[in-house]
Amino acid sequence: MSIKPLIILPDPILRQVSKPVERVDAQLRKFAGDMLDTMYDAPGIGLAAIQVGEPLRMLVIDLAKEGEEPAPQVFINPEVLASSDERSVYEEGCLSIPDYYAEVERPASVRVKYLDRDGKQQEVAAEGLLATCLQHEIDHLNGVLFIDHISKLKRDMVMKKFKKLAKDKPPTRMVG
Ligand code: GNR
Ligand code: NI
């Protein structure tokens, strides 16, 4: 069990395009466990590997509500096969953009192909919060953030705020 520090806006690491996972082995499963620990600690309902600084195409999600049994899910090398024309709007947040929330419109349902934690090919037809969360996380694998889907005026406001915060309080991984 290990909780990893989160990468926060405006760190350019968040804009990296992540690379496919080549091998689903014990080491990768351990990393997936660390991602889940980090997500539960935050707490959040999803986490992409790049948010802990690993440019790998994998993400974890747990949509279980408080008091329910945990339902951790690991998606490796996910690909959106199809998106609905129907859209839905959710208020989104991001662990890499703390305390900022905005409504985002996305396809209401998506079909996603991925490898599970055993390296087995899977497909899921997702709707509702799972569809939104999968799209939010898959965006991260491509260096895209939910603020890229809101108005430029709002995005510029958020960027300005987080640039100022970073200047006042540099990230701990900076030395000196
Ligand atoms: O914890 C999270 N909540 C959330 C709410 C609505 C839409 C997407 C999300 S994902 C977010 C965690 C996160 O930043 N994942 O990348
Ligand atoms: Ni996010």
Side-chain angles (χ1 to χ4, degrees):
M1 146 128 194
S2 131
I3 293 160
K4 296 178 175 287
L6 288 165
I7 307 291
I8 304 296
L9 198 72
D11 197 319
I13 288 175
L14 293 170
R15 295 305 188 176
Q16 284 185 26
V17 177
S18 295
K19 295 263 192 305
V21 169
E22 293 196 355
R23 203 169 288 102
V24 181
D25 55 13
Q27 189 193 332
L28 191 86
R29 278 187 282 272
K30 180 182 184 304
F31 177 61
D34 291 347
M35 285 177 62
L36 284 162
D37 294 337
T38 304
M39 179 185 79
Y40 292 132
D41 178 68
I45 58 172
L47 188 77
I50 196 66
Q51 293 181 276
V52 292
E54 283 290 338
L56 284 174
R57 302 190 77 82
M58 63 185 285
L59 59 95
V60 296
I61 290 179
D62 189 330
L63 299 181
K65 299 192 191 72
E66 255 189 71
E68 289 179 3
E69 278 294 299
Q73 290 184 269
V74 180
F75 297 83
I76 299 162
N77 297 342
E79 282 175 53
V80 176
L81 299 175
S83 311
S84 63
D85 292 333
E86 190 197 338
R87 308 276 136 167
S88 65
V89 175
Y90 270 91
E91 173 149 278
E92 298 196 16
C94 182
L95 296 176
S96 297
I97 312 174
D99 304 317
Y100 181 74
Y101 304 89
E103 289 193 333
V104 177
E105 185 181 305
R106 300 181 185 269
S109 52
V110 285
R111 176 172 276 291
V112 174
K113 162 178 128 165
Y114 64 98
L115 301 177
D116 66 18
R117 74 188 78 200
D118 301 316
K120 195 169 163 244
Q121 276 285 353
Q122 301 282 359
E123 264 184 47
V124 62
E127 53 179 36
L129 186 56
L130 180 60
T132 289
C133 197
L134 274 168
Q135 292 174 82
H136 174 117
E137 304 309 340
I138 292 170
D139 270 356
H140 274 300
L141 309 188
N142 297 320
V144 174
L145 301 170
F146 85 93
I147 53 169
D148 299 337
H149 298 292
I150 64 179
S151 74
K152 176 164 159 36
L153 185 73
K154 286 189 193 168
R155 181 169 56 254
D156 287 350
M157 244 172 49
V158 176
M159 286 305 303
K160 190 175 159 194
K161 180 185 154 193
F162 279 85
K163 278 179 184 159
K164 182 167 190 307
L165 281 171
K167 198 156 57 152
D168 295 349
K169 190 169 71 68
T172 45
R173 68 191 161 69
M174 266 177 67
V175 176

